[in-house]
Amino acid sequence: MSCNSGTCQSSCYKDEYSVTDQPPATANYERSNDASLRGGDSNGQNLCIKCKVNETMAATHSAAAAAGGDIGRFCADCFRNNLFGKFRFAVTSNAMITPSDKVLVAFSGGSSSRVALQFVHEMQQKAQKNFDASRDRSLPVFGVGVAYINESIIFPAASNDLNQAVNDMELIVSSLAPPEKQFFVVPTQNIYSPDCAVGKNQLTELVAAVSDATGKEDLLEHLRMLSLQKIASENGYTKIVLGTCTSRIASHVLEATVKGQGFSLAADIQYVDARWETPVVLPLRDCLSEELNTLCSLDSLKTIEVLQQPRSGINGLISSFVQLLQKDNPSRESTILRTAGKLTPFHFNRIPEDGHDNGHSASQRRQRKYNLKPNESLPPKSFCFICNSPLKKSSNTSLDGFENGGTSAGLYTAACSSCQYQILPKDPSSLEYFYSLLPKSMADLENDSRNNHNISVLLDLAQKMQWPAAGSRIKGD
Amino acid sequence: MATAAADADTTAAKPKSVRSCTICKSRRAALKRPKTLEQICKECFYSVFEDEIHRVIVDNHLFKRGERVAIGASGGKDSTVLAYVMSELNRRHDYGLDLFLLSVDEGITGYRDDSLETVKRNEIQYGVPLKVVSYKELYGWTMDEIVKLIGLKNNCTFCGVFRRQALDRGAALLKVDKVVTGHNADDIAETVLLNILRGDIARLSRCTSITTGEDGPIPRCKPFKYTYEKEIVIYPCSMNTLTHSSRMHTSNDWITSLLSVSFNFNIRCSSTSLYFCIYSPNAYRGFAREFIKDLERIRPRAILDIIKSGEDFRISTSTKMPEQGNCERCGYISSQKWCKACVLLEGLNRGLPKLGIGRSRGLDNDRNKDTKQTNGEKNIQSKQCGTLDF
């Protein structure tokens, strides 16, 4: 049913996987029989569906047995390989990490980002090994940094809890060396200025100005991204790795749908999101959170859950709905991702071709093997200045009926309808004030080099009261 | 559920003084509009509700002057209100439409015969001619008979497939140019979600269009696309008080019948036995429905946003859509050699009711190839009926 559209090869990857993994009757079946004979007491049903030699995790690990789906049918080794395989496939087929890169792993302490960190580390180790072994040492080893965004100013945590958590994370990161990984702990207010006190005030006021619970959460998510971008650009990182997994994306698909962001949805759920100064990559896009949790408990990867915030408002409703659906049908999250994966991605949903490692034809050749769907060549005209989602041309006709409000009308049209509703203040008079609270440090950050979606430009224009048509903000790149 | 005004007081704790309507600013606010949570008076609700539908009809060019339009009437709240609003707007704004009521009788004792009574009353009360097409006369089977044969599993497949075709056939008999159905905003939002959960990109791309089947013989449209279910439910109630002032032309009978529908709906929602089909517990849809209601409670505009998302999804037109042809047996539009109704019917008549139900991917694909080949070679050498391998 899911495969009849003809364009879904890439997204059916998982299906093919499981299909080939089924014992296709004859030869394999005999082999497994042999194995069970040799193995003595174990019968065919308890054997890993992949290697048919070892016992399944359902039999050996209680954690895996509790998890649903296919997890319990692999042995621990095959499960690990399978998961890492998905990660590696995502990385290589989308040119996420090249030897000359310096990648920044966003680490929240949760299991998804923990696994992302682990896998990036393993990949780096392998690269290091190859580097040490090769004679000409032509391919350098990519660098890895780790960043934790400290949001304690918004979600106050007990200070010893926070210190403990940060210490634990530091320990995790340092135990992954060599090669050495730099660990950043950066508070959210740093997006304003180096002077913490000013930023603190502005940030708390900004967050307090958003009345909608869901809007607040979404704004924070965006600020987190700005923080990561800032760390990356200040420290010379060329990619940002997020641990976003299938389950999270499935929730995001519904969240975006419910918030009326159907147009921009396709931008958020691809392997690569290069609309930022530093491209963001999602190598765990095909991994379920259940699998990642299982891996963490299997390999005793330490996670720090103290600081995790439960999702609220619309987002909370959706994540519990998705959990319910997933319980009902273990492939539901993959189906949701697959549906949304069929939407047309944007031109920025791949690593920009030029300006990156021109010299490494060998690695490039490998990455060309799997090509993305042909992306649309026309870049969208503008981006929402809050959530940075591409705007549809006609979506500027606001539902809220701001026809003629001078600057404020212009400001409204520069945001997507979702941000207009749930983040921007309803009262046009307080809009200017809201703007003054937005992080201005972005001005230095992504100034002239890339002239799109630039908050500083936007603010300047707003102050000069000469609001241009929303379309003229980007000049193409 | 319908007591929106009562349960929606989550926002705006204004002083206790008498609130005036936010639209006309003069009369006393009587209800909180479910869609926007505005405090408005009954008169304004009434006109806003109708004007919105009028705008939808005009902006989307749903009808042309002189067209014959059938209103799909089930006797439920949506179609009853639709029938009333359509005839009202048709007169007020002089659309110049010839309206008809079109009902499908599935032959479900205790469910449909009851609601058909409502429709028949509507016919008399408002003088819109009614046509009833029954499964019995179209297919030779009533749903009761089908259920007796195949049991309670999968019976909705038959009913759904048959109803879709029955409506079209009824419309053809009435020689109408268009069919309007009472699908409301909640229904459409729910369908968008279900198509995402199901992975059905083809349906996802077309489920939000206000007019469907424009390439077919009789297009269908949904004037209630942006109308909230909650408002449809309270609409007849608010009308009741207006009879004496501005609505002199509206016969009292009509309002009584609308009210009874609304009233019944309220009761039925709690007891469920009457409003929902007796053969269909419909768990999966109910799941999504409940979710939509939860969303609406937190944020009423979520329903409109879901529809907007559905309209805005970037679905490339090159995504392969199933080809549409005609059924070789009955001539109805079909992507396969035979339309689904004919396949199901064949199964029933041959005593193999499982025919055409469930997934049979391999076989289906084979059949697909067959059709393509015959289409390509213009060689209509269909297999004998007896040897058809479904």
Side-chain angles (χ1 to χ4, degrees):
Chain A
M1 184 192 209
S2 56
C3 291
N4 54 7
S5 78
T7 51
C8 65
Q9 276 104 340
S10 59
S11 47
C12 285
Y13 158 63
K14 203 171 168 259
D15 268 357
E16 283 159 24
Y17 226 87
S18 53
V19 166
T20 48
D21 285 345
Q22 312 277 324
T26 58
N28 283 336
Y29 182 63
E30 280 163 26
R31 208 144 46 89
S32 75
N33 263 354
D34 282 351
S36 64
L37 283 176
R38 269 184 275 122
D41 54 2
S42 60
N43 61 32
Q45 276 175 346
N46 275 339
L47 288 181
C48 166
I49 53 166
K50 175 112 188 193
C51 64
K52 284 140 198 122
V53 176
N54 297 322
E55 275 194 62
T56 58
M57 290 201 296
T60 55
H61 294 81
S62 52
D70 284 342
I71 301 174
R73 295 162 67 207
F74 286 103
C75 67
D77 285 336
C78 289
F79 169 72
R80 208 174 281 126
N81 288 341
N82 177 39
L83 207 57
F84 187 73
K86 287 196 231 180
F87 167 82
R88 200 184 38 213
F89 181 85
V91 169
T92 53
S93 58
N94 295 286
M96 283 182 191
I97 302 176
T98 55
S100 57
D101 269 333
K102 240 181 113 182
V103 304
L104 182 68
V105 181
F107 185 41
S108 69
S111 56
S112 301
S113 54
R114 180 66 188 90
V115 172
L117 176 59
Q118 185 68 21
F119 282 172
V120 169
H121 166 66
E122 283 174 27
M123 194 167 246
Q124 192 196 26
Q125 262 189 329
K126 268 177 206 165
Q128 183 70 45
K129 229 191 250 168
N130 290 344
F131 179 75
D132 292 340
S134 72
R135 210 174 307 150
D136 55 350
R137 313 218 151 179
S138 61
L139 291 176
V141 178
F142 64 91
V144 176
V146 183
Y148 169 69
I149 308 300
N150 177 358
E151 289 175 337
S152 58
I153 184 168
I154 301 139
F155 306 112
S159 64
N160 45 349
D161 267 5
L162 181 70
N163 290 341
Q164 179 64 38
V166 170
N167 281 345
D168 285 349
M169 285 189 228
E170 228 158 277
L171 210 64
I172 291 171
V173 175
S174 61
S175 69
L176 288 176
E180 188 87 17
K181 293 167 187 64
Q182 206 179 345
F183 182 48
F184 303 87
V185 179
V186 178
T188 313
Q189 57 266 32
N190 266 26
I191 43 175
Y192 284 95
S193 64
D195 179 13
C196 254
V198 179
K200 244 181 202 170
N201 286 338
Q202 258 184 318
L203 181 64
T204 37
E205 274 185 63
L206 177 69
V207 173
V210 180
S211 54
D212 189 284
T214 319
K216 201 173 278 193
E217 196 170 286
D218 289 349
L219 177 65
L220 286 173
E221 203 168 322
H222 182 60
L223 293 178
R224 202 175 305 141
M225 177 56 84
L226 290 187
S227 305
L228 289 170
Q229 288 290 333
K230 189 171 183 202
I231 300 171
S233 90
E234 282 174 356
N235 298 280
Y237 286 94
T238 53
K239 302 279 162 60
I240 293 175
V241 172
L242 299 187
T244 316
C245 60
T246 306
S247 317
R248 182 71 203 89
I249 295 178
S251 290
H252 181 80
V253 169
L254 294 189
E255 283 165 19
T257 307
V258 167
K259 292 170 196 162
Q261 296 172 310
F263 178 74
S264 60
L265 169 62
D268 309 333
I269 54 165
Q270 310 297 331
Y271 291 102
V272 175
D273 178 358
R275 77 189 111 153
W276 309 92
E277 187 194 359
T278 309
V280 177
V281 296
L282 278 55
L284 296 183
R285 184 179 180 263
D286 298 320
C287 306
L288 296 169
S289 69
E290 222 160 41
E291 295 175 318
L292 301 174
N293 288 332
T294 309
L295 186 75
C296 283
S297 65
L298 201 63
D299 290 356
S300 43
L301 301 176
K302 191 171 167 54
T303 56
I304 293 111
E305 308 288 353
V306 196
L307 306 173
Q308 307 298 318
Q309 291 294 327
R311 297 181 72 73
S312 60
I314 298 273
N315 298 339
L317 197 60
I318 288 170
S319 62
S320 53
F321 179 62
V322 171
Q323 265 168 25
L324 210 68
L325 290 172
Q326 178 75 2
K327 220 174 275 168
D328 182 56
N329 177 350
S331 61
R332 187 64 71 198
E333 289 172 345
S334 313
T335 312
I336 296 174
L337 171 61
R338 209 160 41 223
T339 318
K342 286 175 196 161
L343 303 177
T344 317
F346 288 83
H347 67 105
F348 51 73
N349 283 128
R350 58 170 147 200
I351 299 291
E353 308 245 332
D354 297 322
H356 280 270
D357 65 330
N358 291 324
H360 304 292
S361 55
S363 60
Q364 279 202 339
R365 212 182 310 129
R366 209 182 321 140
Q367 285 142 11
R368 285 290 151 72
K369 214 159 62 179
Y370 306 96
N371 250 332
L372 272 176
K373 276 176 255 176
N375 285 334
E376 211 170 84
S377 52
L378 277 175
K381 292 277 189 270
S382 51
F383 294 84
C384 169
F385 70 93
I386 293 197
C387 67
N388 204 10
S389 61
L391 296 176
K392 202 182 177 196
K393 252 190 231 160
S394 59
S395 71
N396 292 340
T397 49
S398 158
L399 286 166
D400 305 309
F402 289 95
E403 282 105 3
N404 45 359
T407 325
S408 50
L411 295 174
Y412 270 104
T413 56
C416 68
S417 68
S418 168
C419 290
Q420 278 172 24
Y421 172 75
Q422 62 172 17
I423 294 180
L424 292 187
K426 301 276 169 299
D427 180 12
S429 60
S430 53
L431 204 58
E432 302 267 342
Y433 174 63
F434 186 82
Y435 270 88
S436 67
L437 295 174
L438 284 173
K440 280 183 189 170
S441 66
M442 293 295 298
D444 316 319
L445 202 100
E446 28 176 277
N447 224 334
D448 313 302
S449 60
R450 288 161 58 85
N451 200 13
N452 41 353
H453 62 270
N454 198 321
I455 288 184
S456 69
V457 171
L458 205 97
L459 280 167
D460 289 345
L461 288 171
Q463 279 152 13
K464 286 174 197 156
M465 305 284 281
Q466 291 172 335
W467 201 257
S472 63
R473 271 201 292 146
I474 179 175
K475 306 215 158 58
D477 50 16
Chain B
M1 162 180 278
T3 54
D7 71 23
D9 48 5
T10 44
T11 55
K14 280 184 184 167
K16 286 274 178 198
S17 65
V18 180
R19 287 189 206 111
S20 59
C21 166
T22 52
I23 295 178
C24 65
K25 305 266 193 285
S26 59
R27 282 180 293 261
R28 213 175 131 224
L31 61 131
K32 198 171 228 171
R33 196 177 170 208
K35 198 173 189 170
T36 57
L37 299 184
E38 288 167 318
Q39 296 279 357
I40 54 176
C41 61
K42 283 185 178 177
E43 288 83 354
C44 286
F45 170 72
Y46 195 62
S47 67
V48 156
F49 181 90
E50 287 166 3
D51 284 351
E52 263 182 20
I53 295 162
H54 172 59
R55 281 257 65 85
V56 169
I57 289 173
V58 172
D59 292 348
N60 294 284
H61 310 287
L62 290 191
F63 311 112
K64 289 193 200 75
R65 232 193 139 64
E67 274 184 335
R68 292 162 68 89
V69 175
I71 301 162
S74 65
K77 61 174 180 10
D78 294 315
S79 57
T80 308
V81 173
L82 177 68
Y84 172 76
V85 171
M86 278 298 295
S87 53
E88 179 69 28
L89 292 179
N90 187 29
R91 195 188 24 214
R92 192 186 309 161
H93 299 286
D94 193 24
Y95 294 156
L97 300 178
D98 268 341
L99 296 178
F100 300 89
L101 290 169
L102 174 57
S103 285
V104 176
D105 182 5
E106 294 94 340
I108 304 175
T109 320
Y111 165 67
R112 188 50 91 204
D113 38 4
D114 212 43
S115 53
L116 277 178
E117 285 309 308
T118 316
V119 184
K120 278 175 192 151
R121 231 180 308 143
N122 293 347
E123 180 191 17
I124 302 161
Q125 284 156 355
Y126 217 58
V128 179
L130 166 70
K131 168 86 190 161
V132 180
V133 285
S134 70
Y135 282 8
K136 187 73 184 170
E137 68 188 72
L138 284 181
Y139 308 109
W141 292 79
T142 66
M143 267 318 281
D144 286 341
E145 287 164 355
I146 293 174
V147 170
K148 209 175 277 170
L149 183 71
I150 66 163
L152 283 174
K153 236 180 175 179
N154 293 327
N155 60 70
C156 295
T157 311
F158 286 88
C159 196
V161 170
F162 284 172
R163 183 179 315 110
R164 160 165 265 278
Q165 216 181 85
L167 211 54
D168 274 346
R169 294 192 176 198
L173 288 174
L174 283 171
K175 297 194 175 62
V176 294
D177 305 292
K178 255 166 212 153
V179 175
V180 294
T181 54
H183 292 101
N184 57 41
D186 299 49
D187 294 331
I188 294 168
E190 183 185 323
T191 311
V192 170
L193 279 184
L194 282 178
N195 283 328
I196 293 176
L197 300 185
R198 226 192 257 138
D200 195 334
I201 195 81
R203 286 213 173 79
L204 185 60
S205 68
R206 56 184 139 92
C207 68
T208 46
S209 44
I210 192 158
T211 308
T212 51
E214 274 168 308
D215 42 349
I218 302 162
R220 297 183 181 193
C221 43
K222 313 174 192 120
F224 280 175
K225 182 182 170 190
Y226 301 104
T227 308
Y228 279 33
E229 182 174 54
K230 273 187 179 176
E231 300 199 348
I232 294 174
V233 174
I234 57 177
Y235 174 76
C237 309
S238 73
M239 184 157 48
N240 192 32
T241 56
L242 297 169
T243 341
H244 307 297
S245 54
S246 55
R247 306 274 159 180
M248 287 312 283
H249 51 263
T250 309
S251 81
N252 258 321
D253 280 353
W254 243 83
I255 286 159
T256 325
S257 100
L258 277 173
L259 265 176
S260 85
V261 165
S262 163
F263 181 66
N264 280 341
F265 176 75
N266 293 339
I267 292 174
R268 283 165 190 184
C269 271
S270 51
S271 72
T272 64
S273 60
L274 272 165
Y275 181 65
F276 296 106
C277 171
I278 51 168
Y279 291 140
S280 158
N282 225 343
Y284 190 54
R285 247 187 193 268
F287 220 37
R289 192 61 156 201
E290 214 171 284
F291 176 60
I292 301 258
K293 291 290 171 208
D294 287 345
L295 286 173
E296 190 188 5
R297 215 162 293 137
I298 298 186
R299 181 184 286 189
R301 87 180 230 149
I303 293 177
L304 285 181
D305 276 341
I306 294 174
I307 298 176
K308 178 178 181 309
S309 287
E311 292 166 342
D312 287 352
F313 280 138
R314 289 160 51 97
I315 298 171
S316 72
T317 41
S318 65
T319 307
K320 220 172 78 191
M321 299 293 171
E323 298 170 34
Q324 246 175 30
N326 288 327
C327 170
E328 288 180 12
R329 218 172 105 157
C330 68
Y332 188 72
I333 46 160
S334 165
S335 58
Q336 309 286 318
K337 190 163 159 174
W338 283 16
C339 70
K340 196 77 180 167
C342 284
V343 174
L344 292 175
L345 205 56
E346 178 75 8
L348 281 176
N349 292 336
R350 282 170 53 196
L352 302 166
K354 288 275 144 47
L355 223 59
I357 289 179
R359 291 199 212 189
S360 51
R361 190 197 276 178
L363 291 174
D364 243 29
N365 285 348
D366 283 353
R367 212 144 44 87
N368 244 334
K369 268 179 224 152
D370 272 353
T371 349
K372 268 176 208 151
Q373 271 172 9
T374 49
N375 280 350
E377 298 162 18
K378 292 273 172 216
N379 177 11
I380 308 165
Q381 200 180 36
S382 61
K383 288 178 190 167
Q384 295 287 305
C385 271
T387 63
L388 265 176
D389 50 337
F390 292 107

